[in-house]
Amino acid sequence: MTPQGPTLLGIDVTMVASLLAAVATFAVLVAIYAATTVRDPMAKRVKALNERREQLKAGIVASTSKRRRSISNRNELADKVRNVLASMKMLQAEQVEKAQARLMQAGIRSKDMAFVVIFARFVLPLVLGGFMIVLVYLVDYFPDWSAWKKYALVAGTLVLSYKAPDLYVKNKVQKRTAAIRKGLPDALDLLVICAEAGLTIDAAFARVARELGKAYPELGDEFALTSIELGFLTDRRLAFENLAKRIDLESIRGVVTTMIQTEKYGTPLASALRVLSAEFRNERMMRAEEKAARLPAIMTVPLILFILPVLFVVILGPAACSIHDALLS
């Protein structure tokens, strides 16, 4: 079957263009579907916050034994993992607290997940490293490789499998921190408005969480939890300190310090928050200008590798097709 339209190197240009147009149309339809079926990101978070509210209420009203039963709603997997680690004497209090703090910064509320992370550090090198040792040395899957390459593959697998849980948690912390940093100036502006309107701090946090929940779900989640803790904890300073622990961000620590000083000395909250909001906006603008300044250097490689060849094909393609057809005729 001979091509009916213009050809380039024996390929029907019309057919290729039709296939590309079909792919582009499908991508547009997928994008429209994804944009029109956005789910509310606050649904699961509201459920988690309600559970946290019940836990705090149980911690204040109930006795010590009832408090332990209420807070210790652990799943069977976490119990089994903890028992295994305890039997192997691998649980250190400092290590567990550090893992729990990182998980809270990643938005994972369950403290039992810390035992899963510690268990994964122990199991993954055994499983993946053992599999790679069998594959490389016993099965001899890479017979042409030198001894150094085989050793590097096995050692790299062991190191990466050990670091994989920490890298996963670190990635989630960085993404969550970036999202919170982006919405913090807007949240402070709303806090200023609420404070000037006469709302209390816990009511202001709840209002800001409700207004910013859909635009910045991570920040709304943290502010809503802080509002709940302000209403239930006996020491209000502890609620602000918990906010600073849950978010790995220097700006949040500055806001927490301002809140604590306001609660302690009775200083005007609105003026202090207004200064912090202006400072954070200037910081965000400087980060945007820094990214814009790096953009020309970053775009050089994609421009040379992807855009210029396509441009040459679009410009010279019709002429090459005409010359090719003229030579064949």
Side-chain angles (χ1 to χ4, degrees):
M1 180 179 178
T2 60
Q4 299 297 325
T7 60
L8 178 62
L9 300 178
I11 301 175
D12 192 348
V13 178
T14 304
M15 180 63 68
V16 174
S18 301
L19 292 177
L20 293 177
V23 172
T25 304
F26 178 74
V28 170
L29 293 177
V30 171
I32 294 175
Y33 175 78
T36 54
T37 58
V38 177
R39 297 182 179 179
D40 188 3
M42 290 297 293
K44 294 183 179 179
R45 300 178 183 274
V46 170
K47 182 179 178 181
L49 291 175
N50 289 332
E51 293 177 357
R52 177 63 176 169
R53 184 194 296 271
E54 296 300 327
Q55 291 177 359
L56 292 172
K57 186 186 297 183
I60 296 174
V61 179
S63 61
T64 304
S65 60
K66 292 182 179 179
R67 184 189 315 158
R68 290 174 180 173
R69 287 197 302 268
S70 176
I71 297 178
S72 61
N73 292 324
R74 306 183 180 94
N75 52 49
E76 296 181 357
L77 177 61
D79 289 335
K80 293 179 180 178
V81 170
R82 184 169 48 256
N83 293 332
V84 171
L85 293 176
S87 63
M88 301 179 65
K89 301 185 183 300
M90 295 181 58
L91 289 181
Q92 299 179 0
E94 182 179 357
Q95 185 181 13
V96 173
E97 291 177 359
K98 184 177 179 180
Q100 290 174 350
R102 294 295 291 174
L103 289 174
M104 282 195 302
Q105 293 173 358
I108 302 174
R109 306 294 183 198
S110 177
K111 293 185 177 181
D112 292 332
M113 289 299 296
F115 302 105
V116 177
V117 172
I118 297 173
F119 185 73
R121 293 176 189 165
F122 171 70
V123 172
L124 287 180
L126 293 179
V127 175
L128 298 180
F131 173 76
M132 192 57 63
I133 290 174
V134 172
L135 188 67
V136 172
Y137 291 107
L138 299 182
V139 180
D140 197 12
Y141 190 76
F142 304 102
D144 298 333
W145 282 22
S146 62
W148 168 249
K149 287 185 178 180
K150 293 180 180 180
Y151 172 77
L153 178 60
V154 174
T157 303
L158 290 173
V159 173
L160 289 178
S161 58
Y162 177 77
K163 290 292 185 179
D166 293 333
L167 293 176
Y168 172 75
V169 175
K170 182 179 179 181
N171 184 43
K172 289 185 68 67
V173 170
Q174 290 177 349
K175 289 183 178 180
R176 183 178 177 84
T177 302
I180 291 175
R181 183 190 293 112
K182 184 178 179 180
L184 186 58
D186 298 333
L188 291 182
D189 288 339
L190 288 178
L191 278 178
V192 170
I193 296 173
C194 294
E196 292 178 343
L199 294 180
T200 60
I201 293 183
D202 49 348
F205 270 89
R207 180 69 179 181
V208 172
R210 187 164 60 252
E211 293 294 334
L212 294 181
K214 291 186 177 181
Y216 307 105
E218 295 84 3
L219 187 59
D221 182 13
E222 296 296 341
F223 273 32
L225 183 55
T226 302
S227 174
I228 294 172
E229 291 182 343
L230 286 171
F232 283 100
L233 293 180
T234 55
D235 189 2
R236 296 168 66 87
R237 176 178 182 148
L238 183 60
F240 294 124
E241 291 177 351
N242 290 338
L243 177 63
K245 292 178 182 178
R246 292 194 303 268
I247 302 176
D248 186 20
L249 191 60
E250 188 66 30
S251 304
I252 290 293
R253 286 189 280 272
V255 174
V256 167
T257 302
T258 303
M259 292 292 182
I260 293 175
Q261 291 177 353
T262 302
E263 287 281 329
K264 185 175 181 179
Y265 301 108
T267 55
L269 177 62
S271 58
L273 290 179
R274 188 178 289 108
V275 172
L276 285 176
S277 176
E279 181 180 350
F280 295 157
R281 286 188 184 279
N282 291 333
E283 183 182 352
R284 186 170 66 177
M285 182 61 67
M286 287 188 293
R287 287 197 302 269
E289 291 176 353
E290 182 182 355
K291 290 182 179 179
R294 294 201 310 261
L295 188 60
I298 296 175
M299 288 295 296
T300 301
V301 176
L303 180 66
I304 296 175
L305 293 180
F306 303 107
I307 300 178
L308 290 181
V310 175
L311 185 62
F312 290 151
V313 169
V314 172
I315 295 176
L316 302 178
C321 293
S322 302
I323 295 173
H324 182 268
D325 294 339
L327 291 176
L328 292 179
S329 60

